[in-house]
Amino acid sequence: MALVTVTDVQVLNNPAPFTSPFEFEVTFECVGNLNSDIEWKIIYVGSAKSEECDQTLDSVLVGPVPLGLNKFVFQADAPDPSKIPASELIGVTVVLLTCSYRDQEFVRVGYYVNNDYVDPELRENPPATVDISLLGRNILASKPRVTRFPIRWDDYEEANSDMAMQLQEQQAQREEMAQGIQQMSAELDLRMGQ
């Protein structure tokens, strides 16, 4: 049984310029005493083709966690565009909100993100070099993809034997999300007549 359950995530500051911070209002419930802090991360997927382009925008330890409902606003700076392939600055990608306990990820909330020029004329005739200052970011907040992973809450030694299985599950989910990005990108291209 999970001792911490995410009950709600509100995406704030959306839509926004590409360079604006990400903001999430996270509500979670703790139903048992935890011996350690929980760690939250915001991860921006810079490329569906390579994890090397992923950027951890921020991480924060929360604890001690009181029993009951808890709420906080988690804010992180925008990704560094120099670490994103130029060909993937515009289009669909993913931002992840994850939570771990004792280095074991137990929940991941993924959102599709569409980055594009705000000006319709620039969308039709984009400049040869992407101008980050003119890009907008729109998070598909209404359709988060929530994945929960079973962990050992306070049985840390035994948890290490389960880490390989958890990593395999996470890799499978990443591959599935990459396929979703490619599919959504193709659908957006069709809608825009490209």
Side-chain angles (χ1 to χ4, degrees):
M1 177 179 100
L3 297 182
V4 175
T5 305
V6 175
T7 59
D8 188 43
V9 177
Q10 294 295 314
V11 178
L12 308 176
N13 194 24
N14 185 50
F18 180 87
T19 55
S20 292
F22 283 89
E23 291 182 44
F24 298 95
E25 182 181 80
V26 180
T27 305
F28 65 95
E29 182 174 19
C30 182
V31 296
N33 293 319
L34 300 176
N35 294 331
S36 298
D37 296 343
I38 56 177
E39 181 180 25
W40 295 88
K41 291 182 184 179
I42 297 175
I43 302 168
Y44 185 86
V45 177
S47 172
K49 299 172 187 163
S50 172
E51 284 185 47
E52 292 177 15
C53 296
D54 290 1
Q55 296 180 47
T56 299
L57 303 180
D58 201 358
S59 66
V60 63
L61 292 173
V62 176
V65 178
L67 296 177
L69 281 177
N70 299 274
K71 184 186 291 191
F72 70 103
V73 173
F74 191 9
Q75 181 177 353
D77 289 338
D80 179 349
S82 70
K83 295 180 180 178
I84 301 170
S87 62
E88 297 190 49
L89 284 167
I90 295 176
V92 180
T93 189
V94 172
V95 66
L96 302 170
L97 176 67
T98 68
C99 192
S100 301
Y101 180 70
R102 290 186 165 178
D103 296 321
Q104 304 169 88
E105 183 179 339
F106 65 88
V107 68
R108 174 182 294 185
V109 183
Y111 293 95
Y112 289 109
V113 179
N114 186 41
N115 298 312
D116 207 345
Y117 286 104
V118 177
D119 183 338
E121 188 173 316
L122 286 174
R123 273 186 253 154
E124 292 295 322
N125 301 305
T129 304
V130 177
D131 186 342
I132 299 297
S133 67
L134 300 176
L135 290 182
R137 174 186 74 221
N138 192 354
I139 300 171
L140 186 57
S142 63
K143 296 190 178 185
R145 177 164 174 91
V146 180
T147 306
R148 293 171 183 83
F149 304 101
I151 66 167
R152 299 197 188 273
W153 287 92
D154 278 312
D155 206 4
Y156 188 68
E157 294 303 317
E158 290 181 37
N160 286 332
S161 64
D162 295 335
M163 292 295 274
M165 183 179 74
Q166 183 180 358
L167 289 172
Q168 288 174 344
E169 290 172 358
Q170 291 171 358
Q171 182 61 31
Q173 182 195 19
R174 179 177 173 74
E175 290 169 5
E176 186 178 318
M177 290 189 87
Q179 291 172 350
I181 289 171
Q182 292 171 348
Q183 182 180 9
M184 287 188 76
S185 184
E187 289 173 9
L188 286 171
D189 287 346
L190 285 174
R191 280 194 224 160
M192 295 192 286
Q194 295 180 353

